[in-house]
Amino acid sequence: MRRLPIFFLVDVSESMVGENLYKLEAGIGAVVSTLRKDPYALETAFLSVIAFAGKPRTVTQLTELFAFHPPELPVGGGTALGAALSHLMDEIDRTVVTTTPDRKGDWRPIVFLLTDGHPTDDVAKAVERWDRSYRKRVNMVAVSIGSGADHALLKQITDEVVVFNDSAPDAFARFIKWISMSIQSQSRSVSAGQDGKVSLAKAEPGLLAPVEASEGLTPFAGVDDRYAVFVGKCSKKKLPYVVKYERHMGRIETTDPVLSQLLKTRRYALDTAVPVKSSYFDLSDGVGSGQSVSSDDLIGQPNCPHCGVQFAMAVCGCGRIHCVEGGGEQTCPWCGKTGMYGTAEAGEGFDIGRGRG
């Protein structure tokens, strides 16, 4: 049987933390449910999920559709697209059967690359290898979630680059439907013996837009400045969490005079704080951004998502953040040192080391 290998190469970096990652995780399950109702897909489709942050990892090996179980997506620090692309090529070499004079191999693989940010590693060698040996025999569809990805780089990897407007009404449900329909279309094509360019479903206006050119893009400055992301640790449970602030760009409207004044002087508003597992560090590259954000630039104080205490942005002298119940003597769960904690007054902000997003 000739298989249609389908790889989901998913960005699970800190900037994806929160609602987007939850919806994407649920969306993969919805794709599987839809495809299982399609006899052509059931006959040909094999799925794999590769997650990448600072490091890549195969979360689900290439698996026949009926036996595929949608995985829980991990989270990590960094967006190592170069390493992810190299890992993908290694997985294709390892799992996809090539055609020889003696046998028919698998159909041309499809890769859905889903990312919302710029790479934090060197991609040059991976792109060169991709162009040399894979681009012509693999159908890659690159999706820029919220238009935050490096479109110029994605266009170097594939001609099929689309921007997904994740703020559109019912955006993720409609996006997942588009992916499902595209896979169904390709399943029908290969069942008819056609193994050419991927047959993408028609994109809905306002939801998906093709990237035609890559001129005029702003070079990446080392971090994804749309967000200020911080990694903390719960003082009670000793487990990590991620706090994400979003650059509000003046888009937030309020009648609260205090908040209105803060929005005029501070750049980032609290988006979410989510618990993560210790495996967060397995997918992180261990390289800091080397940049910081002043506490005077942040709006909102999250509760600890593990233990629920009120202050999850306490900063130790070691530079790491953790949760505290209030001021006074506290012990840092990162370095183990004990010190006195208090609140900073307005205008007396302190720098907090940020993640790379």
Side-chain angles (χ1 to χ4, degrees):
M1 179 185 68
R2 299 185 72 183
R3 306 177 302 174
L4 175 60
I6 301 162
F7 295 88
F8 290 97
L9 186 59
V10 185
D11 178 352
V12 294
S13 60
E14 297 154 329
S15 59
M16 285 288 290
V17 159
E19 192 174 358
N20 275 6
L21 198 60
Y22 296 142
K23 288 182 177 179
L24 199 54
E25 189 175 278
I28 292 175
V31 168
V32 173
S33 296
T34 300
L35 295 181
R36 282 178 176 162
K37 301 172 186 175
D38 187 303
Y40 295 100
L42 269 174
E43 184 179 343
T44 59
F46 280 64
L47 277 62
S48 174
V49 177
I50 299 172
F52 71 97
K55 300 175 184 176
R57 185 174 79 202
T58 298
V59 181
T60 305
Q61 302 283 346
L62 197 62
T63 303
E64 194 167 359
L65 179 59
F66 81 88
F68 181 90
H69 296 286
E72 178 182 347
L73 294 176
V75 178
T79 309
L81 181 57
L85 192 57
S86 294
H87 184 86
L88 168 68
M89 291 183 283
D90 291 342
E91 285 292 280
I92 290 172
D93 290 344
R94 187 178 66 83
T95 62
V96 176
V97 178
T98 56
T99 297
T100 69
D102 302 321
R103 70 178 181 193
K104 286 282 189 180
D106 291 330
W107 300 108
R108 186 182 303 196
I110 304 173
V111 178
F112 288 95
L113 167 58
L114 311 174
T115 181
D116 78 333
H118 288 62
T120 57
D121 67 342
D122 187 354
V123 301
K125 289 184 179 179
V127 171
E128 181 183 358
R129 177 186 170 195
W130 174 263
D131 278 342
R132 184 176 64 249
S133 305
Y134 299 86
R135 182 165 182 157
K136 292 182 180 179
R137 62 185 181 93
V138 178
N139 283 314
M140 168 80 82
V141 181
V143 179
S144 170
I145 299 175
S147 76
D150 185 338
H151 299 166
L153 173 60
L154 296 181
K155 289 294 284 188
Q156 290 182 41
I157 299 171
T158 175
D159 293 330
E160 299 288 354
V161 181
V162 295
V163 175
F164 166 44
N165 178 12
D166 59 342
S167 63
D170 298 320
F172 270 88
R174 294 159 61 200
F175 173 58
I176 293 304
K177 181 180 178 181
W178 174 78
I179 290 180
S180 300
M181 291 173 62
S182 296
I183 295 174
Q184 288 175 305
S185 177
Q186 192 69 2
S187 296
R188 288 180 173 83
S189 294
V190 298
S191 295
Q194 301 170 9
D195 189 23
K197 185 178 178 181
V198 63
S199 304
L200 294 176
K202 184 178 180 180
E204 293 186 47
L207 180 71
L208 294 162
V211 175
E212 304 292 354
S214 57
E215 292 81 14
L217 296 172
T218 303
F220 186 49
V223 297
D224 188 343
D225 201 45
R226 295 173 303 150
Y227 304 99
V229 181
F230 308 93
V231 181
K233 184 177 282 190
C234 177
S235 296
K236 294 181 178 179
K237 298 185 178 181
K238 307 298 188 289
L239 291 172
Y241 54 85
V242 173
V243 181
K244 183 170 77 170
Y245 289 80
E246 184 172 5
R247 194 164 187 169
H248 59 80
M249 305 287 193
R251 293 176 301 212
I252 300 176
E253 296 182 1
T254 180
T255 57
D256 184 325
V258 176
L259 179 56
S260 178
Q261 185 59 34
L262 288 174
L263 290 170
K264 293 178 182 177
T265 58
R266 302 191 178 195
R267 293 185 297 164
Y268 298 98
L270 179 64
D271 181 301
T272 188
V274 298
V276 294
K277 299 177 181 179
S278 295
S279 59
Y280 164 88
F281 301 103
D282 296 340
L283 281 187
S284 300
D285 55 17
V287 180
S289 69
Q291 299 189 29
S292 60
V293 175
S294 171
S295 60
D296 277 343
D297 257 344
L298 304 177
I299 303 172
Q301 170 69 248
N303 293 345
C304 175
H306 284 294
C307 70
V309 300
Q310 186 175 359
F311 303 103
M313 288 291 289
V315 182
C316 174
C318 71
R320 311 299 292 270
I321 71 168
H322 60 96
C323 66
V324 296
E325 294 188 32
E329 189 174 85
Q330 307 284 348
T331 300
C332 173
W334 294 99
C335 67
K337 293 181 179 180
T338 299
M340 295 298 295
Y341 287 68
T343 58
E345 299 297 328
E348 298 178 357
F350 47 88
D351 289 340
I352 309 174
R354 68 192 298 176
R356 301 172 80 174

